[in-house]
Amino acid sequence: MIRREGLVKKVCPHVLKVSIEIIEDILKRRDEEGGYIRLGAVGVEDAEKIQTVIKNVNKQNQFRSNVHELLLTSGRKIGFIQFDIRRFKIINDLYGEKFGDEVLFFIKDKLGGMCNDRQFYINLRSDVFMVVTEYDHDKDLMCFISQIEEVSASFKNVKLQLAFGVYSVDDREMEIRQMEDRAAMARTAAKENVVSNVIFYEEQFKEFLYTRKFIEENMLAAVEEKQFKMYLQPKYSISQNRIVGAEALVRWIHPERGMIYPNEFILVIEENGFIKMVDYYIWEEASRFIKKCIEIGIEDCPVSVNVSRHHLKDMEFVHVLLDDIKKYHIEKKLLELEITETANDEQIGQAAMRLKLDGFTLLMDDFGSGYSSLNVLLETPFDVIKLDKKFMDNMMSSDKGKLILEHMVSMAQKLGLGLLAEGVETREQVELLDKIGCDNVQGYYFARPMPQEEFFELLKKDRSARK
Ligand code: C2E
Ligand code: CA
Ligand code: CA
């Protein structure tokens, strides 16, 4: 039957898989029945399975040949829209597979009603659908997507949320499969995006998804083989021209890929919870380092560690910090905590309060980068504000900005808050910060983050120069 349909010539792993399963089953029955079994004895169910697979393959072939034709003949833009239903598995589990099938049929039916003879749709598998359409402006495409969303908003009172990935064809020579893959990548991104459920394909997705896969496959070995390393970046006092502390920044040194920076992997490991292992490891390394400094008489170089928002969901992390403090016999004031503040965040407020009561020094990271407003200065239990690099660059680019910065510094002083400028790169920045009284700085102008051993040497040199 398969040969008759001409499918053997085409690569279709699914047909082969089902065929092999059926043939294996026949052979097994032949063995069990101890004899010969005629091929005609394929059960009705098996025959139906094969029929369904063949029908689907035929539909996909038809769909692709229609799309191919459209790509050749259309003078307008062409968009590949792939979407699926968020939490479809839960719908299946809750209401049963039959209901799930009805949902899919319902969507197919709606798409059928919406598409004209130059718009094509297909149910690729399970709850994944693809629609290809011509359009002129992005807003028309968005309008079409909204329409799909509207007509499939609910089925029998069950709300259906869809996630859309869009690829707008920029190279018509590309294989259709590749175009589908791009829409699929965008759909994956849309599923993870909490802000928007429609995401357009961008070149960097490919890279992003490869990186994500790489991280997920390699992170366990990375912990076991101690590939995560603590780097330290010095913090300086401009007026005293000396090191007044350091920030611990994680680096992943992979044996083949080399150094991987936190911006590439922190988001991924925050999502899958792996951040706990990494941060706890860095906090312990920082504690060990502080102890090492104390042992040679340097007791005035606090190390700050980054506390991901992920930990703030419960208080487990506080115990981890307290255990480190105890284990290495260090004072809490030497292990400082950097937390990124966002507007009206109760969780952070509570956690910060708890840490404050426990006696830790709290640094508000990335101030001015996003949501933080002057309000947080009113309610905050933070001790030090770290001015974000972008915020500073912005402020320093105009006289008005410089004035705001100057007044912020004096306000922080009056409120008894410490201030530290991050990402300081130039002599002019240092001079301005010095002039307006922001004494503590961190940035490439002074030093880049470095392996902890290197920082240890630098610190020793810095301290001995002062004796
Ligand atoms: P962050 O906490 O704001 O850290 C400062 C970042 O700015 C660091 O990037 C640092 O290398 C970089 N930087 C320092 N001086 C300069 C400068 O003069 N110019 C410029 N352009 N950049 C400068 P890094 O190490 O790549 O870390 C990026 C972010 O990843 C950090 O931002 C932090 O949010 C996160 N991160 C790093 N290490 C850890 C960690 O151990 N745990 C957690 N949870 N997050 C971490
Ligand atoms: Ca930080
Ligand atoms: Ca920062």
Side-chain angles (χ1 to χ4, degrees):
M1 182 155 48
I2 291 170
R3 192 175 300 135
R4 198 174 61 221
E5 296 290 336
L7 292 167
V8 193
K9 280 181 271 161
K10 300 199 173 82
V11 182
C12 180
H14 194 52
V15 173
L16 288 179
K17 188 169 161 276
V18 173
S19 314
I20 290 167
E21 274 170 15
I22 290 168
I23 292 167
E24 274 174 354
D25 190 49
I26 293 170
L27 293 175
K28 203 169 116 221
R29 269 188 288 159
R30 182 197 63 184
D31 288 344
E32 275 164 10
E33 286 164 25
Y36 180 75
I37 193 163
R38 280 183 305 118
L39 261 180
V42 173
V44 178
E45 247 180 56
D46 289 341
E48 274 175 5
K49 247 196 257 173
I50 296 185
Q51 285 289 7
T52 313
V53 173
I54 288 170
K55 250 196 240 155
N56 282 346
V57 171
N58 280 343
K59 269 192 206 153
Q60 288 190 20
N61 288 341
Q62 186 60 51
F63 170 78
R64 289 194 180 113
S65 100
N66 287 341
V67 172
H68 181 71
E69 185 66 25
L70 187 71
L71 285 162
L72 285 178
T73 57
S74 173
R76 301 165 69 194
K77 287 187 189 174
I78 290 176
F80 278 61
I81 305 165
Q82 190 176 104
F83 67 92
D84 68 356
I85 306 167
R86 282 183 205 250
R87 292 178 289 274
F88 182 64
K89 195 179 164 306
I90 296 180
I91 294 180
N92 257 337
D93 289 348
L94 273 180
Y95 304 98
E97 272 183 29
K98 190 166 161 283
F99 184 85
D101 288 347
E102 281 173 19
V103 168
L104 299 180
F105 187 79
F106 163 76
I107 293 186
K108 261 184 268 184
D109 189 47
K110 293 290 174 194
L111 288 176
M114 274 180 66
C115 290
N116 63 30
D117 60 356
R118 285 177 77 79
Q119 293 173 317
F120 306 105
Y121 71 95
I122 189 162
N123 181 196
L124 282 173
R125 63 184 176 278
S126 175
D127 63 325
V128 182
F129 294 85
M130 174 83 88
V131 186
V132 176
T133 180
E134 296 176 303
Y135 70 102
D136 296 311
H137 304 286
D138 281 359
K139 71 173 181 354
D140 303 332
L141 193 64
M142 287 305 286
C143 208
F144 184 63
I145 292 171
S146 303
Q147 233 180 315
I148 300 180
E149 218 176 348
E150 250 163 56
V151 298
S152 12
S154 68
F155 174 69
K156 290 189 178 166
N157 287 334
V158 175
K159 271 185 115 70
L160 304 175
Q161 282 181 319
L162 310 181
F164 296 88
V166 186
Y167 171 59
S168 169
V169 179
D170 49 10
D171 171 10
R172 295 199 184 193
E173 302 290 300
M174 194 189 284
E175 271 190 42
I176 291 177
R177 292 263 189 164
Q178 235 177 320
M179 299 178 181
E180 289 178 10
D181 282 349
R182 293 189 165 195
M185 282 183 209
R187 177 178 59 86
T188 311
K191 274 175 92 130
E192 286 164 5
N193 197 308
V194 278
V195 184
S196 168
N197 65 333
V198 184
I199 300 282
F200 280 71
Y201 171 84
E202 288 170 37
E203 267 306 311
Q204 61 260 39
F205 277 0
K206 228 176 3 196
E207 190 109 5
F208 174 76
L209 288 178
Y210 284 144
T211 311
R212 162 172 299 244
K213 196 159 164 277
F214 174 86
I215 293 166
E216 284 169 347
E217 284 171 359
N218 289 277
M219 61 194 179
L220 212 63
V223 167
E224 279 162 8
E225 292 163 22
K226 293 216 174 346
Q227 292 169 6
F228 289 105
K229 298 277 181 234
M230 177 178 73
Y231 269 45
L232 291 169
Q233 185 179 32
K235 296 173 184 172
Y236 282 87
S237 150
I238 305 177
S239 64
Q240 301 172 49
N241 187 28
R242 80 197 283 258
I243 296 174
V244 289
E247 175 176 5
L249 294 158
V250 66
R251 296 289 180 266
W252 178 356
I253 318 279
H254 189 267
E256 280 129 42
R257 277 189 57 162
M259 170 120 52
I260 309 173
Y261 286 88
N263 284 342
E264 280 188 70
F265 62 85
I266 293 279
L267 270 180
V268 179
I269 66 172
E270 273 181 341
E271 255 166 41
N272 63 24
F274 208 71
I275 184 78
K276 274 195 184 180
M277 265 204 232
V278 174
D279 269 3
Y280 292 179
Y281 174 72
I282 296 293
W283 300 349
E284 178 155 9
E285 282 292 286
S287 307
R288 198 199 312 270
F289 182 86
I290 294 167
K291 169 93 178 143
K292 204 167 114 181
C293 292
I294 295 173
E295 278 168 358
I296 59 159
I298 301 176
E299 297 185 21
D300 58 352
C301 182
V303 175
S304 60
V305 292
N306 287 287
V307 178
S308 154
R309 304 171 50 85
H310 182 89
H311 308 302
L312 308 177
K313 289 185 203 135
D314 58 60
M315 292 296 152
E316 179 191 293
F317 78 102
V318 183
H319 298 286
V320 176
L321 287 164
L322 291 172
D323 286 350
D324 286 336
I325 297 284
K326 218 159 103 194
K327 184 168 168 194
Y328 293 95
H329 306 288
I330 57 178
E331 280 185 78
K332 281 179 199 146
K333 67 170 202 258
L334 289 178
L335 185 66
E336 298 180 335
L337 310 176
E338 298 199 4
I339 302 178
T340 303
E341 172 72 44
T342 51
N344 303 327
D345 198 322
E346 277 220 350
Q347 228 172 25
I348 293 198
Q350 279 175 10
M353 211 50 105
R354 166 74 205 270
L355 293 165
K356 185 76 197 151
L357 287 174
D358 267 314
F360 284 100
T361 301
L362 303 185
L363 280 60
M364 187 193 291
D365 208 350
D366 303 335
F367 184 86
S369 65
Y371 303 99
S372 42
S373 68
L374 292 178
N375 258 337
V376 298
L377 297 180
L378 189 68
E379 295 146 13
T380 185
F382 286 82
D383 303 278
V384 178
I385 292 173
K386 290 190 80 173
L387 294 177
D388 184 63
K389 175 176 168 29
K390 273 205 212 97
F391 174 74
M392 268 215 327
D393 290 350
N394 233 345
M395 288 296 158
M396 288 195 175
S397 64
S398 72
D399 287 342
K400 214 167 161 185
K402 283 179 193 159
L403 206 62
I404 294 178
L405 209 56
E406 190 175 338
H407 283 279
M408 269 209 59
V409 174
S410 91
M411 187 165 63
Q413 281 163 349
K414 286 194 181 114
L415 290 170
L417 291 167
L419 208 59
L420 183 143
E422 270 194 291
V424 177
E425 289 180 350
T426 64
R427 177 82 232 150
E428 296 80 68
Q429 287 176 326
V430 180
E431 278 165 7
L432 182 80
L433 289 165
D434 189 30
K435 196 173 118 212
I436 63 176
C438 177
D439 192 41
N440 288 348
V441 285
Q442 177 185 347
Y444 295 169
Y445 180 75
F446 297 91
R448 290 187 175 244
M450 58 190 88
Q452 53 168 309
E453 300 76 19
E454 210 174 293
F455 177 72
F456 191 57
E457 294 308 315
L458 185 74
L459 182 63
K460 279 197 291 192
K461 222 188 277 167
D462 183 87
R463 290 301 186 260
S464 64
R466 252 153 267 281
K467 274 185 185 153

